[in-house]
Amino acid sequence: DPSAYRKPDLGGVSVSSENTLFYTFSSYTGSPDRVKFGGFYYGKNRDMSGAAKIEAVVTSGRFSAEILLKDYESEYYVCSFISNGDVEHVSEPKKVTIGSLEDYVEFGDFTVDSYVSLTQKAEVSVSFALAEGVDVTSCGIYYGETTALSVDDQCVFAEMVGDDCFSAVIPSLVAEKQYYARPFIIDGEDVAYAEVY
């Protein structure tokens, strides 16, 4: 009889994350012998309407799941649940704040690999480190003659070189002129900019 199911104790949601968009959520139940299913709901609404659901294996009363939260500059709510197969018990939601793409990208060295004055082209490379869960859908370099580089300046798109570097050829350079460059990485519709080099 589902109405006779006494809700066992349910821990809230704890989260561990370091340089990743894959968050590990954990919870527990004080009465694992009466629990058939456990897991988490996650979504954008505090009342958990429209939330996605993921089940987790309950071992000795504890369970956890790794969830990718990828909508930059947004808030998610996560709650845990346990069930005996008929009745479900849900914890209070926990808020998780996702930063901008720039919070998950660290740019490294900007290197001029070669410059050929005859063709007025420079081959450059940029190193970077990404948090787990970031996808590079495109990347490139803005360049110009001032440090105030923006999307209105000239731009070249780059090619990935391994998992932590991209390279590009900057054309139409005039000898003896000073140029500045600002690399960028795009993940979907989000952009992360490096400092100006």
Side-chain angles (χ1 to χ4, degrees), residues 35-40 53-58 63 80-83:
V35 173
K36 187 174 182 180
F37 303 108
F40 302 89
K53 182 178 184 179
I54 184 170
E55 289 190 3
V57 177
V58 181
F63 53 99
S80 59
F81 73 86
I82 51 177
S83 171

Side-chain angles (χ1 to χ4, degrees), residues 23 30 34 42 72 80 82 87-88 99 126 141 155 161-162 171 195:
Y23 290 79
R34 291 189 283 124
Y42 62 99
Y72 298 110
S80 59
I82 51 177
V87 179
E88 191 171 81
V126 180
I141 299 168
C155 172
V161 181
E195 63 183 39

Side-chain angles (χ1 to χ4, degrees), residues 4-149:
Y5 176 53
R6 182 172 62 83
K7 292 180 179 179
D9 297 332
L10 176 61
V13 177
S14 60
V15 56
S16 62
S17 173
E18 184 177 346
N19 196 34
T20 180
L21 290 166
F22 284 97
Y23 290 79
T24 300
F25 296 97
S26 304
S27 190
Y28 66 90
T29 173
S31 306
D33 55 312
R34 291 189 283 124
V35 173
K36 187 174 182 180
F37 303 108
F40 302 89
Y41 287 100
Y42 62 99
K44 295 293 189 68
N45 301 314
R46 185 174 179 81
D47 64 2
M48 304 311 296
S49 58
K53 182 178 184 179
I54 184 170
E55 289 190 3
V57 177
V58 181
T59 304
S60 300
R62 299 195 173 275
F63 53 99
S64 63
E66 188 179 68
I67 302 173
L68 174 63
L69 302 181
K70 188 65 181 288
D71 196 356
Y72 298 110
E73 297 186 71
S74 65
E75 293 178 344
Y76 283 87
Y77 292 91
V78 182
C79 66
S80 59
F81 73 86
I82 51 177
S83 171
N84 68 345
D86 294 307
V87 179
E88 191 171 81
H89 179 30
V90 180
S91 75
E92 287 295 314
K94 182 179 183 68
K95 183 171 72 173
V96 180
T97 302
I98 309 300
S100 68
L101 175 59
E102 289 184 347
D103 294 333
Y104 303 96
V105 176
E106 183 178 341
F107 288 94
D109 295 329
F110 179 90
T111 305
V112 177
D113 299 311
S114 69
Y115 170 68
V116 180
S117 58
L118 183 64
T119 60
Q120 298 179 322
K121 293 180 180 179
E123 293 184 11
V124 299
S125 59
V126 180
S127 63
F128 57 87
L130 303 175
E132 186 182 7
V134 175
D135 296 313
V136 179
T137 54
S138 61
C139 52
I141 299 168
Y142 288 104
Y143 66 99
E145 297 178 38
T146 70
T147 58
L149 293 174

Side-chain angles (χ1 to χ4, degrees), residues 165-180:
C165 184
F166 61 78
S167 65
V169 175
I170 299 178
S172 306
L173 301 177
V174 178
E176 308 302 325
K177 274 194 174 183
Q178 175 76 52
Y179 289 92
Y180 299 91

